Amino acid sequence: MASFCPTTPQSLFSTSFQNTSRFPHPTFQPHHSLLSLHSSHFFRKSVGLLWGRNSPTFKIHSSLTDFTVDVAVEEKKLPKGETWSVHKFGGTCVGSSARINNVADVIINDDSERKLVVVSAMSKVTDMMYDLIHKAQSQDKSYISALDAVEEKHTLTALELFDGDDLTTFLANLHQDIRNLKAMLQAMDIAGHATESFTDLVVGHGELWSAQILSYAIKKKGIDCKWMDTREVLIVNPTSADQVDPDYLESERRLNKWYSRNPSKVIIATGFIASTHQNIPTTLKRDGSDFSAAIMGALFRARQVTIWTDVDGVYSADPRKVSDAVILKTLSYREASEMSYFGANVLHPRTISPVIRYGIPVIIRNIFNTSAPGTKVCHPSTTENEDKKILINYVKGFTTIDNLALVNVEGTGMAGVPGTASTIFRAVKEVGANVIMISQASSEHSICFAVPEKEVKAVAEALQSMFQNALYAGRLSQVAVIPNCSILAAVGQKMASTPGVSATLFNALAKANINILAIAQGCSEYNVSVVLKREDSIKALRAVHSRFYNSNTTIAMGIIGPGLIGSTLIDQLRDQAATLKEESNIDLRVMGIMGSKSMLLDDSGIDLVKWSEIREEKGEVTDLEKFVQHVHGNHFIPNTVLVDCTADSGVASHYNDWLRKGIHVITPNKKANSGPLNEYLRLRVLQRQSYTHYFYEATVGAGLPIISTLRGLLETGDKILQIEGIFSGTLSYIFNNFKDGRVFSEVVAEAKEAGYTEPDPRDDLSGTDVARKVIILARESGLKLELSDVPVENLVPEQLASASVQDFLQNLPKFDKEISKRQEEADTAGEVLRYVGVVDVANEKGSVELRRYKKDHPFAQLSGSDNIIAFTTRRYRDQPLIVRGPGAGAQVTAGGVFSDILRLASYLGAPS
């Protein structure tokens, strides 16, 4: 049996070492003895690398007399091609005995003629092995107990899966491996460090053990199989970039040799580990098992490679960040590579390269949901138009990379100077930093690039040193660092050559009020990447995914003022929410409801059926700042709207700040648009300069389309001459019923009793509300008027202006005579009285007054509380454009607000 012992006086290892873990049978064939020698060679090489020149001298004692040599062994030729299917199972898939049994069943149920199975170490084992090395190097003696825990984990798993000679053999080999590992770790402890090769030798044991366990589990089920230590087959060349490149010719030669001695239709192979040409153990680096499977697939010319994981396939975006991400049926090789590079949990970034040459498809499937078909990665010709749900099917997915910093090297002296970029990136290379993305304007005035945040300090210092003279001379103006960045990448086959893709991407980000710091788009037409602030990363991801996938346009809503109009709106939202989500892909989530004294907040959306009771139980004291932060601070929802259903000027004063923060505002509150002119103009400028929306249709005419009609006329080039209308539902009701000998005070009392007036009828009779509507329409028409510029005919007797409501109603009959006289005069002339607001655009003025109209005039034809507005324009000069309908009431006003909410959703990407 091969062994090696130190011959130095102070031997590090008092025991001989045997590596028998790779031999599934206790009775070894001749090549097994050679393999034992080979394994000893691995160990001796690595110890030598650990100790350097002062390493102990090791001798390998081997006797072939222990084995019967059969020189007549018949070599079997490896059959390559379609008969083979390759499966790869990650650590989660083989994380316990039950899961290993499940994997064995999956392999047995695969109807392929021949199967190669690549396995990772059991879940967490690789991390445990690296931790052992860290503790040993740190001279932390707890590595001994930690290694015992590793042994116990595999022992218990084996005891639960198989028995008899197989169990005896495995446990003996495992125990011997643990003894060897303890000696290796002791060497690290003494030396205080370990080389990369020595580390690779240690951590690779996890795959050796899991491969053996799985092979025995399959044998227990009656299927003959062999297991392969891929270090005997897979040969790689280390590169300068902490990577390895497979040597396919040498690997193929060794594979043929291995198979000739181990013919089998089921082979269990170790993932992650390999050897150099010098037979030194190495690895394919972190997450390299996928890469192993792809390489083996190429060596076997397999029909397909299936990567088994714990998700149903490749998602269009990270489902932890985008709840409505969808499984992609297919991806091209290039799309999968791009998504892997930019952080998507798809495949190891290098997995694709070995299979492309032979056109071997890679399928990502869920071991815990074998009914799911998964995602197929293959040549582009088979991927076109299969994902029917995609709005623009050239965009397949969106990924993000976080924890980056943007470095910007800028200066007029850079333009046209050869070698500047080369110098910049030479400095970056010297500090070992990884450049994730580069963006440069054609003017060459600046170059910016993204690097991992943990590396940016070294990069900035290197550039400052490299360009010290240029900075001092002014040829370079700055080397600036923008921290806390993320990259959002949109990936899709030939999407850059499809008109409108980039525009749609940037438009979605703009509408979510997200600023782009840098852009990169390669001529490969597979990727558009943008750099943005890290706090915007999830919000941006949801915004673009929603736009391209026609998925739910989700809006976080905060409703301020759950009074008559606000509570009615909540009821309408409750009744319509399910229909909107199902039929229009609009997901309206009310995250907060705030009254004057208490407010209700919820992170996922308030139950609109029981909101009032919940507020009574869980409500908290009203705090407007906290309310806004809660509704807007949810980065999982890209769009936020605050709906102000109050008549409060204090709430309206915050609109400007909310719009600047990217919060949309919808309101029936007239105070902002009829308040000080300069504040109104600031709002409108802000609205026009950003993608933040401010809708206020219900401020004039409740649910009637007054504002939108006026804007439509102006935007199509018409010229407004005059707007005249009955804008108050209360005063419309009063004057529609002030006839046939009835007295004014009686009709007012009736209107109050019916609920048409404000609690204090003087708020209606004063005409102030109508004046505000006149100001709003005047300003929409381009007039710069203040509220004080509009003369108002006040119907409240001056003597009753300061009386209580009760006194006002009791004393109002004393003043009926004067207004009754005016009504009688109008009636005698065949006319009626109507309380109207007028915007005289031609003369740049407005007014609110009681006017007389002929009985055949449209204003005389009203009934109930209807409003009517007449637009006299250049196009509608002889016959004004009339808008008529209910202009008051909670239902129609709330409906007008609801309509604005849906209009906002349409602007944000919902289907129209």
mmCIF file of all heavy atoms in Angstrom, residues 519-557:
data_model
loop_
_atom_site.group_PDB
_atom_site.id
_atom_site.type_symbol
_atom_site.label_atom_id
_atom_site.label_comp_id
_atom_site.label_asym_id
_atom_site.label_seq_id
_atom_site.Cartn_x
_atom_site.Cartn_y
_atom_site.Cartn_z
ATOM 1 N N ILE A 519 -23.855 55.152 -18.636
ATOM 2 C CA ILE A 519 -24.498 54.213 -19.550
ATOM 3 C C ILE A 519 -23.419 53.495 -20.357
ATOM 4 O O ILE A 519 -22.424 54.105 -20.759
ATOM 5 C CB ILE A 519 -25.439 54.948 -20.534
ATOM 6 C CG1 ILE A 519 -26.523 55.718 -19.787
ATOM 7 C CG2 ILE A 519 -26.086 53.969 -21.508
ATOM 8 C CD1 ILE A 519 -27.285 56.688 -20.665
ATOM 9 N N ALA A 520 -23.628 52.209 -20.594
ATOM 10 C CA ALA A 520 -22.726 51.453 -21.475
ATOM 11 C C ALA A 520 -23.552 50.503 -22.325
ATOM 12 O O ALA A 520 -24.422 49.801 -21.819
ATOM 13 C CB ALA A 520 -21.701 50.667 -20.671
ATOM 14 N N GLN A 521 -23.270 50.514 -23.617
ATOM 15 C CA GLN A 521 -23.950 49.599 -24.533
ATOM 16 C C GLN A 521 -22.943 49.135 -25.566
ATOM 17 O O GLN A 521 -22.413 49.943 -26.322
ATOM 18 C CB GLN A 521 -25.134 50.272 -25.218
ATOM 19 C CG GLN A 521 -25.828 49.376 -26.239
ATOM 20 C CD GLN A 521 -27.066 50.020 -26.836
ATOM 21 O OE1 GLN A 521 -27.833 50.649 -26.133
ATOM 22 N NE2 GLN A 521 -27.238 49.871 -28.130
ATOM 23 N N GLY A 522 -22.671 47.847 -25.583
ATOM 24 C CA GLY A 522 -21.696 47.317 -26.522
ATOM 25 C C GLY A 522 -22.306 47.051 -27.877
ATOM 26 O O GLY A 522 -23.518 46.939 -28.033
ATOM 27 N N CYS A 523 -21.441 46.920 -28.880
ATOM 28 C CA CYS A 523 -21.928 46.661 -30.234
ATOM 29 C C CYS A 523 -22.403 45.222 -30.388
ATOM 30 O O CYS A 523 -22.957 44.860 -31.422
ATOM 31 C CB CYS A 523 -20.845 46.970 -31.256
ATOM 32 S SG CYS A 523 -19.347 45.976 -31.062
ATOM 33 N N SER A 524 -22.206 44.392 -29.358
ATOM 34 C CA SER A 524 -22.688 43.018 -29.433
ATOM 35 C C SER A 524 -24.200 42.946 -29.436
ATOM 36 O O SER A 524 -24.765 41.907 -29.766
ATOM 37 C CB SER A 524 -22.160 42.214 -28.235
ATOM 38 O OG SER A 524 -22.715 42.717 -27.032
ATOM 39 N N GLU A 525 -24.858 44.022 -29.053
ATOM 40 C CA GLU A 525 -26.312 44.135 -29.103
ATOM 41 C C GLU A 525 -27.010 43.219 -28.103
ATOM 42 O O GLU A 525 -28.178 42.908 -28.243
ATOM 43 C CB GLU A 525 -26.843 43.851 -30.514
ATOM 44 C CG GLU A 525 -26.254 44.752 -31.579
ATOM 45 C CD GLU A 525 -26.850 44.500 -32.951
ATOM 46 O OE1 GLU A 525 -27.644 43.564 -33.087
ATOM 47 O OE2 GLU A 525 -26.544 45.257 -33.876
ATOM 48 N N TYR A 526 -26.304 42.795 -27.068
ATOM 49 C CA TYR A 526 -26.911 41.900 -26.099
ATOM 50 C C TYR A 526 -27.148 42.562 -24.747
ATOM 51 O O TYR A 526 -27.800 41.965 -23.900
ATOM 52 C CB TYR A 526 -26.023 40.674 -25.874
ATOM 53 C CG TYR A 526 -26.141 39.627 -26.949
ATOM 54 C CD1 TYR A 526 -25.360 39.685 -28.096
ATOM 55 C CD2 TYR A 526 -27.037 38.575 -26.827
ATOM 56 C CE1 TYR A 526 -25.465 38.731 -29.092
ATOM 57 C CE2 TYR A 526 -27.152 37.602 -27.812
ATOM 58 C CZ TYR A 526 -26.364 37.684 -28.938
ATOM 59 O OH TYR A 526 -26.468 36.731 -29.925
ATOM 60 N N ASN A 527 -26.610 43.736 -24.531
ATOM 61 C CA ASN A 527 -26.640 44.283 -23.184
ATOM 62 C C ASN A 527 -26.665 45.806 -23.204
ATOM 63 O O ASN A 527 -25.902 46.437 -23.930
ATOM 64 C CB ASN A 527 -25.383 43.795 -22.433
ATOM 65 C CG ASN A 527 -25.367 44.195 -20.976
ATOM 66 O OD1 ASN A 527 -25.556 45.349 -20.642
ATOM 67 N ND2 ASN A 527 -25.118 43.241 -20.112
ATOM 68 N N VAL A 528 -27.546 46.369 -22.406
ATOM 69 C CA VAL A 528 -27.510 47.798 -22.105
ATOM 70 C C VAL A 528 -27.396 47.910 -20.596
ATOM 71 O O VAL A 528 -28.226 47.366 -19.866
ATOM 72 C CB VAL A 528 -28.774 48.533 -22.593
ATOM 73 C CG1 VAL A 528 -28.717 50.004 -22.181
ATOM 74 C CG2 VAL A 528 -28.918 48.424 -24.096
ATOM 75 N N SER A 529 -26.354 48.592 -20.130
ATOM 76 C CA SER A 529 -26.115 48.704 -18.693
ATOM 77 C C SER A 529 -26.139 50.156 -18.271
ATOM 78 O O SER A 529 -25.640 51.037 -18.985
ATOM 79 C CB SER A 529 -24.755 48.091 -18.324
ATOM 80 O OG SER A 529 -24.707 46.738 -18.666
ATOM 81 N N VAL A 530 -26.713 50.395 -17.103
ATOM 82 C CA VAL A 530 -26.737 51.743 -16.545
ATOM 83 C C VAL A 530 -26.259 51.693 -15.097
ATOM 84 O O VAL A 530 -26.515 50.726 -14.383
ATOM 85 C CB VAL A 530 -28.150 52.371 -16.612
ATOM 86 C CG1 VAL A 530 -28.597 52.538 -18.046
ATOM 87 C CG2 VAL A 530 -29.168 51.548 -15.840
ATOM 88 N N VAL A 531 -25.543 52.727 -14.712
ATOM 89 C CA VAL A 531 -25.113 52.865 -13.322
ATOM 90 C C VAL A 531 -26.057 53.841 -12.635
ATOM 91 O O VAL A 531 -26.364 54.905 -13.174
ATOM 92 C CB VAL A 531 -23.659 53.378 -13.231
ATOM 93 C CG1 VAL A 531 -23.226 53.513 -11.775
ATOM 94 C CG2 VAL A 531 -22.717 52.454 -13.975
ATOM 95 N N LEU A 532 -26.503 53.467 -11.438
ATOM 96 C CA LEU A 532 -27.384 54.338 -10.671
ATOM 97 C C LEU A 532 -27.066 54.196 -9.188
ATOM 98 O O LEU A 532 -26.263 53.350 -8.784
ATOM 99 C CB LEU A 532 -28.858 54.014 -10.958
ATOM 100 C CG LEU A 532 -29.250 52.584 -11.328
ATOM 101 C CD1 LEU A 532 -29.415 51.723 -10.107
ATOM 102 C CD2 LEU A 532 -30.499 52.575 -12.161
ATOM 103 N N LYS A 533 -27.653 55.048 -8.379
ATOM 104 C CA LYS A 533 -27.410 54.994 -6.944
ATOM 105 C C LYS A 533 -27.960 53.686 -6.387
ATOM 106 O O LYS A 533 -29.006 53.212 -6.804
ATOM 107 C CB LYS A 533 -28.062 56.181 -6.240
ATOM 108 C CG LYS A 533 -27.538 57.538 -6.681
ATOM 109 C CD LYS A 533 -26.038 57.684 -6.413
ATOM 110 C CE LYS A 533 -25.717 57.800 -4.945
ATOM 111 N NZ LYS A 533 -24.250 58.006 -4.692
ATOM 112 N N ARG A 534 -27.242 53.134 -5.403
ATOM 113 C CA ARG A 534 -27.611 51.827 -4.875
ATOM 114 C C ARG A 534 -29.006 51.822 -4.264
ATOM 115 O O ARG A 534 -29.736 50.834 -4.383
ATOM 116 C CB ARG A 534 -26.587 51.381 -3.832
ATOM 117 C CG ARG A 534 -26.813 49.949 -3.333
ATOM 118 C CD ARG A 534 -25.597 49.423 -2.600
ATOM 119 N NE ARG A 534 -25.246 50.258 -1.470
ATOM 120 C CZ ARG A 534 -24.018 50.348 -0.946
ATOM 121 N NH1 ARG A 534 -23.046 49.643 -1.484
ATOM 122 N NH2 ARG A 534 -23.772 51.115 0.087
ATOM 123 N N GLU A 535 -29.394 52.932 -3.622
ATOM 124 C CA GLU A 535 -30.717 52.945 -3.001
ATOM 125 C C GLU A 535 -31.850 52.908 -4.027
ATOM 126 O O GLU A 535 -33.001 52.621 -3.682
ATOM 127 C CB GLU A 535 -30.885 54.176 -2.099
ATOM 128 C CG GLU A 535 -30.748 55.499 -2.810
ATOM 129 C CD GLU A 535 -29.361 56.102 -2.673
ATOM 130 O OE1 GLU A 535 -28.386 55.321 -2.537
ATOM 131 O OE2 GLU A 535 -29.242 57.332 -2.693
ATOM 132 N N ASP A 536 -31.520 53.184 -5.297
ATOM 133 C CA ASP A 536 -32.531 53.131 -6.363
ATOM 134 C C ASP A 536 -32.547 51.787 -7.084
ATOM 135 O O ASP A 536 -33.359 51.584 -7.995
ATOM 136 C CB ASP A 536 -32.268 54.232 -7.395
ATOM 137 C CG ASP A 536 -32.534 55.628 -6.847
ATOM 138 O OD1 ASP A 536 -33.368 55.739 -5.928
ATOM 139 O OD2 ASP A 536 -31.917 56.579 -7.331
ATOM 140 N N SER A 537 -31.668 50.861 -6.696
ATOM 141 C CA SER A 537 -31.461 49.638 -7.470
ATOM 142 C C SER A 537 -32.735 48.801 -7.591
ATOM 143 O O SER A 537 -33.144 48.438 -8.697
ATOM 144 C CB SER A 537 -30.344 48.809 -6.814
ATOM 145 O OG SER A 537 -30.227 47.559 -7.428
ATOM 146 N N ILE A 538 -33.361 48.491 -6.469
ATOM 147 C CA ILE A 538 -34.547 47.624 -6.504
ATOM 148 C C ILE A 538 -35.711 48.343 -7.179
ATOM 149 O O ILE A 538 -36.444 47.761 -7.987
ATOM 150 C CB ILE A 538 -34.923 47.172 -5.081
ATOM 151 C CG1 ILE A 538 -33.811 46.300 -4.503
ATOM 152 C CG2 ILE A 538 -36.253 46.423 -5.077
ATOM 153 C CD1 ILE A 538 -34.044 45.877 -3.074
ATOM 154 N N LYS A 539 -35.867 49.610 -6.850
ATOM 155 C CA LYS A 539 -36.935 50.406 -7.454
ATOM 156 C C LYS A 539 -36.785 50.432 -8.974
ATOM 157 O O LYS A 539 -37.758 50.274 -9.721
ATOM 158 C CB LYS A 539 -36.898 51.817 -6.881
ATOM 159 C CG LYS A 539 -38.003 52.743 -7.343
ATOM 160 C CD LYS A 539 -37.853 54.091 -6.658
ATOM 161 C CE LYS A 539 -38.923 55.073 -7.128
ATOM 162 N NZ LYS A 539 -38.754 56.395 -6.500
ATOM 163 N N ALA A 540 -35.549 50.617 -9.449
ATOM 164 C CA ALA A 540 -35.286 50.648 -10.891
ATOM 165 C C ALA A 540 -35.562 49.289 -11.525
ATOM 166 O O ALA A 540 -36.151 49.196 -12.610
ATOM 167 C CB ALA A 540 -33.832 51.061 -11.143
ATOM 168 N N LEU A 541 -35.145 48.228 -10.854
ATOM 169 C CA LEU A 541 -35.356 46.887 -11.376
ATOM 170 C C LEU A 541 -36.843 46.600 -11.556
ATOM 171 O O LEU A 541 -37.272 46.077 -12.590
ATOM 172 C CB LEU A 541 -34.733 45.872 -10.417
ATOM 173 C CG LEU A 541 -34.710 44.409 -10.852
ATOM 174 C CD1 LEU A 541 -33.896 44.234 -12.120
ATOM 175 C CD2 LEU A 541 -34.146 43.543 -9.734
ATOM 176 N N ARG A 542 -37.646 46.971 -10.578
ATOM 177 C CA ARG A 542 -39.085 46.746 -10.668
ATOM 178 C C ARG A 542 -39.702 47.605 -11.768
ATOM 179 O O ARG A 542 -40.604 47.168 -12.493
ATOM 180 C CB ARG A 542 -39.755 47.051 -9.325
ATOM 181 C CG ARG A 542 -39.441 46.022 -8.248
ATOM 182 C CD ARG A 542 -40.205 46.318 -6.984
ATOM 183 N NE ARG A 542 -41.628 46.227 -7.216
ATOM 184 C CZ ARG A 542 -42.356 45.128 -7.057
ATOM 185 N NH1 ARG A 542 -41.772 44.012 -6.667
ATOM 186 N NH2 ARG A 542 -43.652 45.122 -7.290
ATOM 187 N N ALA A 543 -39.222 48.825 -11.895
ATOM 188 C CA ALA A 543 -39.799 49.740 -12.893
ATOM 189 C C ALA A 543 -39.576 49.227 -14.313
ATOM 190 O O ALA A 543 -40.504 49.188 -15.125
ATOM 191 C CB ALA A 543 -39.205 51.138 -12.724
ATOM 192 N N VAL A 544 -38.338 48.819 -14.628
ATOM 193 C CA VAL A 544 -38.065 48.379 -16.005
ATOM 194 C C VAL A 544 -38.687 47.013 -16.276
ATOM 195 O O VAL A 544 -39.160 46.744 -17.385
ATOM 196 C CB VAL A 544 -36.545 48.366 -16.298
ATOM 197 C CG1 VAL A 544 -35.978 49.771 -16.210
ATOM 198 C CG2 VAL A 544 -35.794 47.434 -15.363
ATOM 199 N N HIS A 545 -38.688 46.152 -15.278
ATOM 200 C CA HIS A 545 -39.303 44.836 -15.470
ATOM 201 C C HIS A 545 -40.791 44.985 -15.745
ATOM 202 O O HIS A 545 -41.347 44.340 -16.638
ATOM 203 C CB HIS A 545 -39.075 43.966 -14.237
ATOM 204 C CG HIS A 545 -39.550 42.554 -14.413
ATOM 205 N ND1 HIS A 545 -40.853 42.159 -14.181
ATOM 206 C CD2 HIS A 545 -38.900 41.439 -14.836
ATOM 207 C CE1 HIS A 545 -40.977 40.881 -14.429
ATOM 208 N NE2 HIS A 545 -39.803 40.401 -14.828
ATOM 209 N N SER A 546 -41.436 45.848 -14.989
ATOM 210 C CA SER A 546 -42.864 46.075 -15.182
ATOM 211 C C SER A 546 -43.141 46.605 -16.578
ATOM 212 O O SER A 546 -44.085 46.191 -17.244
ATOM 213 C CB SER A 546 -43.377 47.061 -14.128
ATOM 214 O OG SER A 546 -44.726 47.374 -14.344
ATOM 215 N N ARG A 547 -42.282 47.496 -17.058
ATOM 216 C CA ARG A 547 -42.508 48.114 -18.366
ATOM 217 C C ARG A 547 -42.335 47.109 -19.498
ATOM 218 O O ARG A 547 -43.120 47.067 -20.440
ATOM 219 C CB ARG A 547 -41.535 49.285 -18.566
ATOM 220 C CG ARG A 547 -41.696 49.983 -19.899
ATOM 221 C CD ARG A 547 -43.064 50.652 -19.997
ATOM 222 N NE ARG A 547 -43.294 51.202 -21.311
ATOM 223 C CZ ARG A 547 -43.818 50.526 -22.333
ATOM 224 N NH1 ARG A 547 -44.174 49.248 -22.182
ATOM 225 N NH2 ARG A 547 -43.986 51.092 -23.499
ATOM 226 N N PHE A 548 -41.312 46.259 -19.431
ATOM 227 C CA PHE A 548 -41.020 45.361 -20.539
ATOM 228 C C PHE A 548 -41.857 44.093 -20.507
ATOM 229 O O PHE A 548 -42.121 43.493 -21.532
ATOM 230 C CB PHE A 548 -39.536 44.991 -20.556
ATOM 231 C CG PHE A 548 -38.684 46.029 -21.209
ATOM 232 C CD1 PHE A 548 -38.159 47.078 -20.478
ATOM 233 C CD2 PHE A 548 -38.418 45.977 -22.560
ATOM 234 C CE1 PHE A 548 -37.379 48.048 -21.075
ATOM 235 C CE2 PHE A 548 -37.641 46.938 -23.175
ATOM 236 C CZ PHE A 548 -37.119 47.978 -22.427
ATOM 237 N N TYR A 549 -42.244 43.669 -19.332
ATOM 238 C CA TYR A 549 -42.976 42.410 -19.236
ATOM 239 C C TYR A 549 -44.472 42.589 -19.122
ATOM 240 O O TYR A 549 -45.196 41.624 -18.921
ATOM 241 C CB TYR A 549 -42.442 41.589 -18.059
ATOM 242 C CG TYR A 549 -41.294 40.716 -18.477
ATOM 243 C CD1 TYR A 549 -40.022 41.251 -18.592
ATOM 244 C CD2 TYR A 549 -41.486 39.395 -18.813
ATOM 245 C CE1 TYR A 549 -38.959 40.476 -19.009
ATOM 246 C CE2 TYR A 549 -40.432 38.606 -19.232
ATOM 247 C CZ TYR A 549 -39.171 39.144 -19.322
ATOM 248 O OH TYR A 549 -38.136 38.377 -19.745
ATOM 249 N N ASN A 550 -44.928 43.814 -19.222
ATOM 250 C CA ASN A 550 -46.357 44.060 -19.153
ATOM 251 C C ASN A 550 -46.958 43.421 -17.903
ATOM 252 O O ASN A 550 -48.078 42.937 -17.887
ATOM 253 C CB ASN A 550 -47.078 43.504 -20.386
ATOM 254 C CG ASN A 550 -48.478 44.067 -20.528
ATOM 255 O OD1 ASN A 550 -48.795 45.122 -20.006
ATOM 256 N ND2 ASN A 550 -49.330 43.351 -21.246
ATOM 257 N N SER A 551 -46.145 43.370 -16.858
ATOM 258 C CA SER A 551 -46.609 42.821 -15.599
ATOM 259 C C SER A 551 -47.303 43.928 -14.825
ATOM 260 O O SER A 551 -47.518 45.019 -15.332
ATOM 261 C CB SER A 551 -45.428 42.271 -14.804
ATOM 262 O OG SER A 551 -44.449 43.267 -14.607
ATOM 263 N N ASN A 552 -47.666 43.660 -13.593
ATOM 264 C CA ASN A 552 -48.430 44.625 -12.824
ATOM 265 C C ASN A 552 -47.705 45.961 -12.695
ATOM 266 O O ASN A 552 -46.547 46.010 -12.294
ATOM 267 C CB ASN A 552 -48.709 44.084 -11.423
ATOM 268 C CG ASN A 552 -49.692 42.938 -11.454
ATOM 269 O OD1 ASN A 552 -50.529 42.874 -12.343
ATOM 270 N ND2 ASN A 552 -49.588 42.041 -10.505
ATOM 271 N N THR A 553 -48.392 47.031 -13.082
ATOM 272 C CA THR A 553 -47.914 48.369 -12.778
ATOM 273 C C THR A 553 -48.329 48.642 -11.340
ATOM 274 O O THR A 553 -49.491 48.911 -11.051
ATOM 275 C CB THR A 553 -48.533 49.410 -13.730
ATOM 276 O OG1 THR A 553 -48.141 49.101 -15.070
ATOM 277 C CG2 THR A 553 -48.072 50.805 -13.369
ATOM 278 N N THR A 554 -47.364 48.521 -10.443
ATOM 279 C CA THR A 554 -47.659 48.628 -9.017
ATOM 280 C C THR A 554 -47.416 50.052 -8.549
ATOM 281 O O THR A 554 -46.374 50.640 -8.831
ATOM 282 C CB THR A 554 -46.777 47.658 -8.213
ATOM 283 O OG1 THR A 554 -46.929 46.346 -8.763
ATOM 284 C CG2 THR A 554 -47.184 47.643 -6.749
ATOM 285 N N ILE A 555 -48.382 50.591 -7.838
ATOM 286 C CA ILE A 555 -48.289 51.962 -7.334
ATOM 287 C C ILE A 555 -48.554 51.945 -5.832
ATOM 288 O O ILE A 555 -49.579 51.437 -5.377
ATOM 289 C CB ILE A 555 -49.294 52.897 -8.031
ATOM 290 C CG1 ILE A 555 -49.070 52.894 -9.550
ATOM 291 C CG2 ILE A 555 -49.189 54.312 -7.482
ATOM 292 C CD1 ILE A 555 -50.086 53.717 -10.319
ATOM 293 N N ALA A 556 -47.618 52.489 -5.070
ATOM 294 C CA ALA A 556 -47.814 52.658 -3.634
ATOM 295 C C ALA A 556 -48.592 53.954 -3.414
ATOM 296 O O ALA A 556 -48.177 55.017 -3.878
ATOM 297 C CB ALA A 556 -46.472 52.722 -2.912
ATOM 298 N N MET A 557 -49.712 53.847 -2.704
ATOM 299 C CA MET A 557 -50.589 55.001 -2.520
ATOM 300 C C MET A 557 -50.681 55.387 -1.049
ATOM 301 O O MET A 557 -50.700 54.536 -0.161
ATOM 302 C CB MET A 557 -52.008 54.686 -3.033
ATOM 303 C CG MET A 557 -52.108 54.429 -4.505
ATOM 304 S SD MET A 557 -53.805 53.994 -4.981
ATOM 305 C CE MET A 557 -54.674 55.460 -4.435
#
